[in-house]
């Protein structure tokens, strides 16, 4: 009996030592028909790989390549599962230094389905949110903690979305962070390591853009001296499928079934807010030109433009695109001139949630802007200058929250159902928007 108990104790010690080697994750990144990316961060340099299998045929195991994490890159590993079959669901394991690391929640991912020319696209749902502040007393401002209600990530997980779209300010760099690689790695790691978020990372696919706080200092713009390193950190800690501009901006795109997301960067090319000389850029001509081309070429039912700041709101307050009125007018005119159907904005930043609807002349369909904010940061309310903003009745919510967007129905009659939830997962409001309304 003593030998048996000793064996059990040694086994538990070994299991703890292996598990302790993971700092955070694993996280499921992008999904495509032929590959899926997985991410994990270890506590120290280690050999890492993922083993995965089709849920319907678990006897056949596949393995990614093996990576060796290193301190310079935050001990992060990003590995591609390149032996997946289209439209399948998989379970997976993390292996560190030759040993499987147990997690007490499901680890799974899915590959996208080849539905085109064969059938209607499948129904799916995604979570959306922005502004995630994780408290750290030694670097927070004195006084009442700014962040809170981290159980929101458990509530998101319980809704079982296919993926989550992070809308910027996904964490908050502080003064000790944004000037050094050490500081940036620390902040990314600290925010990603909370226990409440781990199950969500492990089985829901994740895509992201940034806004000022996860790019650099508050209201940071193109003048931020350390933006190259910030972009390197973004690419290291997220697993997006592509970046449109080489070594510039976090701009990218991806498609899920019949819906396409156009992920914009409102920081890299941005003129400083207080610089009112010459042309003022919010997105910049290079990015706008790409966006219009990409929208025009897209056959997606809904075309979600994801941006850190509000676009539809005409109020020239805070960092809304309206404070860059010439470029906003140009963007809206180009979208109108291109006669692109299905455009829908997803934004964050404002620390309150609302759906805005911009009516357009000339028999053009209305432009919607869904702002979802904050996840865990301190909430706030619109200001008096926004009294005439086109907020849809019943959609303003000024506490912490998240949204789940479901796309359902046959290809010729797809419906977007938006549901906003509080931190515990209780419904606040919902609204249906038919794709045929956006033509």
């Amino acid at each position: 009996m003593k030998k048996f108990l000793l064996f059990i104790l040694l086994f538990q010690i070994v299991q703890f030592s292996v598990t302790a080697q993971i700092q955070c994750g694993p996280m499921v990144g992008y999904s495509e028909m032929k590959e899926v990316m997985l991410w994990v961060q270890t506590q120290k340099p280690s050999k890492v790989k993922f083993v995965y299998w089709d849920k319907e045929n678990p006897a056949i195991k596949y393995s990614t390549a093996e990576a060796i994490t290193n301190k310079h890159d935050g001990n992060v590993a990003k590995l591609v599962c390149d032996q997946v079959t289209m439209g399948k669901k998989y379970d997976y394991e993390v292996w560190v230094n030759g040993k499987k690391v147990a997690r007490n929640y499901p680890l799974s991912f899915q590959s996208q389905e080849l539905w085109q020319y064969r059938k209607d696209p499948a129904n799916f749902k995604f979570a959306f949110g922005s502004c995630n502040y994780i408290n750290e007393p030694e670097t927070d401002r004195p006084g009442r903690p700014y962040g809170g209600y981290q159980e929101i990530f458990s509530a998101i997980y319980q809704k079982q979305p296919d993926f989550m779209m992070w809308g910027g300010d996904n964490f908050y760099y502080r003064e000790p962070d944004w000037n050094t690689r050490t500081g940036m790695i620390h902040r990314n790691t600290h925010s990603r390591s909370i226990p409440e978020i781990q199950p969500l990372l492990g089985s829901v696919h994740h895509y992201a853009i940034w806004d000022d706080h996860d790019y650099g200092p508050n209201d940071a713009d193109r003048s931020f001296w350390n933006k190259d390193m910030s972009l390197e950190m973004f690419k290291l800690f997220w697993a997006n499928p592509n970046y449109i501009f080489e070594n510039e901006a976090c701009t990218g795109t991806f498609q899920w079934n019949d819906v396409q997301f156009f992920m914009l960067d409102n920081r890299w090319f941005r003129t400083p807010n207080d610089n009112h000389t010459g042309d003022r850029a919010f997105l910049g001509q290079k990015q706008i030109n790409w966006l219009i081309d990409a929208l025009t070429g897209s056959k997606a039912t809904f075309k979600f433009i994801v941006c850190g700041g509000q676009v539809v709101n005409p109020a020239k307050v805070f960092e809304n695109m309206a404070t860059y009125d010439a470029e906003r007018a140009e963007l809206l005119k180009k979208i109108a001139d291109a006669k692109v159907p299905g455009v829908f904005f997803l934004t964050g930043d404002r620390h309150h949630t609302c759906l805005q609807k911009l009516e357009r002349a000339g028999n053009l369909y209305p432009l919607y802007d869904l702002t979802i904010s904050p996840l865990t940061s301190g909430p706030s309310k619109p200001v008096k200058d926004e009294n005439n903003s086109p907020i849809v009745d019943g959609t303003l919510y000024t506490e912490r929250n998240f949204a789940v967007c479901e796309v359902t129905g046959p290809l010729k009659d797809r419906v977007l159902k938006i549901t906003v939830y509080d931190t515990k997962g209780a419904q606040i409001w919902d609204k249906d928007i038919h794709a045929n309304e956006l033509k």
Side-chain angles (χ1 to χ4, degrees):
M1 177 61 70
K2 290 183 178 179
K3 289 183 178 180
F4 176 74
L5 293 175
L6 179 62
F7 172 79
I8 293 297
L9 177 62
L10 291 173
F11 175 78
Q12 290 176 337
I13 291 173
V14 170
Q15 285 295 100
F16 174 79
S17 65
V18 174
T19 302
Q21 291 179 10
I22 288 185
Q23 175 64 38
C24 55
M27 179 182 77
V28 184
Y30 70 80
S31 170
E32 289 292 342
M33 295 183 189
K34 290 291 188 178
E35 65 180 42
V36 169
M37 179 170 281
L38 300 178
W39 178 102
V40 72
Q41 184 183 31
T42 58
Q43 290 184 345
K44 59 185 179 181
S46 306
K47 291 182 179 179
V48 176
K49 70 176 181 179
F50 295 97
V51 174
Y52 57 100
W53 57 92
D54 184 341
K55 286 177 178 283
E56 297 176 349
N57 193 5
I60 301 177
K61 300 290 196 296
Y62 305 96
S63 177
T64 66
E66 189 172 67
I68 300 178
T69 62
N70 64 85
K71 182 179 179 181
H72 182 265
D73 291 331
N75 294 316
V76 164
K78 294 164 63 177
L79 293 164
V80 173
C81 302
D82 57 3
Q83 299 179 78
V84 300
T85 302
M86 297 172 290
K88 293 288 187 177
K89 294 186 177 182
Y90 294 81
D91 289 327
Y92 70 95
E93 300 167 339
V94 192
W95 287 66
V96 178
N97 295 328
K99 295 184 181 296
K100 182 179 72 174
V101 178
R103 283 317 212 202
N104 61 356
Y105 49 83
L107 299 180
S108 61
F109 64 81
Q110 59 183 302
S111 59
Q112 291 206 45
E113 184 179 25
L114 179 61
W115 59 271
Q116 292 87 340
Y117 305 105
R118 291 160 175 81
K119 62 179 184 177
D120 286 324
N123 300 338
F124 69 93
K125 59 184 178 179
F126 65 94
F128 178 59
S130 68
C131 305
N132 172 38
Y133 189 100
I134 305 301
N135 296 325
E136 186 186 47
E138 58 268 32
T139 58
D140 294 343
R141 295 178 184 180
R144 182 179 179 179
Y146 190 55
Y149 295 84
Q150 292 170 187
E151 65 267 23
I152 194 171
F153 297 112
S154 298
I156 298 172
Y157 173 69
Q158 289 167 8
K159 302 301 180 186
Q160 291 296 290
D162 293 285
F163 61 94
M164 180 165 179
M165 182 72 240
W166 294 76
D169 292 342
N170 307 314
F171 60 87
Y172 283 60
Y173 282 129
R174 273 76 132 179
E175 289 82 357
D177 301 331
W178 58 64
N179 285 326
T180 65
R181 186 182 193 89
T182 301
M184 285 186 168
I185 288 176
H186 168 76
R187 184 57 52 209
N188 275 274
T189 300
H190 177 265
S191 299
R192 186 70 61 83
S193 296
I194 60 171
E196 294 89 345
I197 204 173
Q198 303 310 312
L200 179 65
L201 297 176
S203 61
V204 174
H205 294 263
H206 293 270
Y207 301 84
I209 62 166
W210 63 21
D211 199 20
D212 54 337
H213 292 291
D214 48 343
Y215 166 72
N218 183 46
D219 296 348
D221 51 59
R222 67 190 184 194
S223 68
F224 177 42
W225 78 272
N226 207 19
K227 65 182 184 179
D228 289 320
M229 184 177 293
S230 185
L231 181 61
E232 182 186 353
M233 291 298 104
F234 182 89
K235 291 180 177 180
L236 187 64
F237 278 84
W238 293 103
N240 288 352
N242 54 63
Y243 297 90
I244 301 302
F245 308 117
E246 185 177 1
N247 300 321
E248 288 186 312
C250 67
T251 313
T253 185
F254 71 95
Q255 189 153 335
W256 198 284
N257 291 350
D258 59 318
V259 172
Q260 189 168 359
F261 292 76
F262 304 84
M263 302 185 291
L264 301 186
D265 187 328
N266 68 332
R267 296 294 156 185
W268 191 273
F269 303 108
R270 185 192 195 103
T271 304
N273 292 337
D274 295 330
N275 182 350
H276 294 277
T277 62
D279 296 334
R280 283 170 52 77
F282 181 85
L283 299 173
Q285 284 300 310
K286 185 175 184 179
Q287 190 169 204
I288 288 177
N289 291 341
W290 168 79
L291 175 62
I292 298 302
D293 283 346
L295 288 172
T296 305
S298 174
K299 305 302 181 186
T301 305
F302 290 102
K303 302 172 180 67
F304 289 111
I305 300 176
V306 192
C307 184
Q310 289 182 333
V311 177
V312 160
N313 191 346
K316 297 180 180 182
V317 297
F318 299 106
E319 292 197 293
N320 290 350
M321 193 178 189
T323 61
Y324 297 73
D325 51 356
E327 189 178 274
R328 176 177 178 272
E330 177 191 359
L331 173 63
L332 297 181
K333 183 178 185 301
K334 286 186 172 182
I335 291 174
D337 290 346
K339 295 181 172 58
V340 179
V343 171
F344 194 109
F345 289 94
L346 296 174
T347 60
D349 176 59
R350 292 301 309 279
H351 293 239
H352 59 257
T353 278
C354 63
L355 178 66
Q356 300 193 56
K357 182 180 181 181
L358 179 65
E359 298 289 356
R360 299 187 291 170
N363 295 319
L364 295 172
Y365 66 85
L367 286 179
Y368 285 97
D369 188 332
L370 175 64
T371 299
I372 301 294
S373 173
L375 288 166
T376 62
S377 303
S380 65
K381 299 178 181 179
V383 296
K384 65 179 182 179
D385 291 341
E386 297 177 278
N387 289 339
N388 296 320
S389 63
I391 296 177
V392 175
D393 288 344
T395 67
L396 177 62
Y397 186 67
T398 57
E399 300 296 337
R400 296 172 173 95
N401 68 99
F402 67 96
V404 172
C405 300
E406 297 182 70
V407 181
T408 62
L411 181 60
K412 293 183 178 181
D413 189 23
R414 294 290 258 178
V415 179
L416 170 66
K417 184 181 184 65
I418 303 165
T419 308
V420 172
Y421 299 95
D422 68 12
T423 57
K424 296 184 182 298
Q427 181 174 320
I428 304 302
W429 60 261
D430 66 358
K431 183 173 179 59
D432 291 354
I433 298 173
H434 288 254
N436 290 330
E437 300 175 37
L438 306 182
K439 292 182 179 179

